[in-house]
Amino acid sequence: MLLPDRNTIDRLLRHYRAQERIVLARPGDLGTRRRFEDTAYTLCVLMGERTAREAVQAAERYVARGGAVSPTARAEA
């Protein structure tokens, strides 16, 4: 099974959090919201999760483990 690169997930997670702060500060900016949603979707795909919340949580666990364990290992157990 292919696993996502830990550095890529870490970078994407930091980018997601930065965009989240911007969206909260400027909720009416549609371009910012679109970029935020694109980043959330990418996290969902890479982490194999259906919602952004689940994807962010899985990404945080994955990065904390050093990327050594599959992010879907909990589903297989």
Side-chain angles (χ1 to χ4, degrees), residues 5-15 59 62-63:
D5 176 59
R6 187 194 68 81
N7 292 327
T8 300
I9 297 298
D10 184 42
R11 182 176 42 79
L12 191 60
L13 189 56
R14 285 185 280 116
H15 187 63
Y62 188 65
V63 169

Side-chain angles (χ1 to χ4, degrees), residues 1 3 7-8 14-15 20 23-25 30-31 40 43 47 51 53-55 57 61-65 68 71 74:
M1 172 185 354
L3 300 175
N7 292 327
T8 300
R14 285 185 280 116
H15 187 63
E20 183 178 45
V23 166
L24 290 172
L30 297 179
L43 270 174
M47 300 311 298
T51 68
R53 181 179 175 185
E54 292 170 345
Q57 290 171 345
R61 286 190 303 270
Y62 188 65
V63 169
R65 287 189 212 128
R74 68 187 184 289

Side-chain angles (χ1 to χ4, degrees), residues 15-68:
H15 187 63
Y16 175 88
R17 291 295 187 198
Q19 288 180 331
E20 183 178 45
R21 287 188 295 275
I22 294 169
V23 166
L24 290 172
R26 295 183 295 192
D29 186 342
L30 297 179
T32 299
R33 179 164 294 280
R34 190 173 302 118
R35 286 187 296 277
F36 175 65
E37 290 172 355
D38 287 347
T39 302
Y41 176 78
T42 302
L43 270 174
C44 287
V45 170
L46 289 175
M47 300 311 298
E49 299 292 347
R50 299 185 93 182
T51 68
R53 181 179 175 185
E54 292 170 345
V56 167
Q57 290 171 345
E60 288 170 342
R61 286 190 303 270
Y62 188 65
V63 169
R65 287 189 212 128

